[in-house]
Amino acid sequence: MEQVFLTCSNHNMIEITKFNGDSFTLNALMIEQIQSFPDTTITLSNGKIIVVKETENEVVTLVNNYFQMFGIQGWIKEAGEQNEL
């Protein structure tokens, strides 16, 4: 598997690539769901859907690396588990 490196140019942001090849930064805290349909689709907490070139695993790795930088990975995971039905 290809190694994914975190690019963090702004607070709460990860750098990813739209399906058309344009790169952009995304607020990692706004991600609600990541799926492969087989294209990787990111659903934001505001309902907006973005299709990106990175695989689902690559996006998850970027988000996890970002949260680990600030020591909040376990906190986010625990909060998500408590909110699931």
Side-chain angles (χ1 to χ4, degrees):
M1 180 175 171
E2 171 182 334
Q3 193 171 20
V4 178
F5 294 97
L6 173 68
T7 302
C8 182
S9 58
N10 297 312
H11 297 291
N12 302 329
M13 302 286 197
I14 59 172
E15 187 173 319
I16 53 180
T17 312
K18 289 183 182 179
F19 210 69
N20 67 5
D22 294 339
S23 64
F24 69 103
T25 53
L26 176 66
N27 184 335
L29 299 174
M30 293 294 292
I31 296 174
E32 173 110 3
Q33 182 174 305
I34 305 168
Q35 292 180 294
S36 298
F37 289 127
D39 297 330
T40 305
T41 304
I42 300 173
T43 304
L44 304 180
S45 58
N46 65 4
K48 184 174 181 176
I49 296 173
I50 303 168
V51 180
V52 298
K53 281 190 171 184
E54 288 79 8
T55 67
E56 183 176 351
N57 287 337
E58 289 171 333
V59 175
V60 168
T61 299
L62 286 170
V63 172
N64 286 338
N65 288 346
Y66 173 79
F67 289 146
Q68 284 175 353
M69 276 181 15
F70 296 98
I72 60 173
Q73 169 126 16
W75 178 81
I76 295 291
K77 189 175 201 178
E78 289 174 20
E81 290 171 355
Q82 292 172 356
N83 292 332
E84 290 185 18
L85 300 176

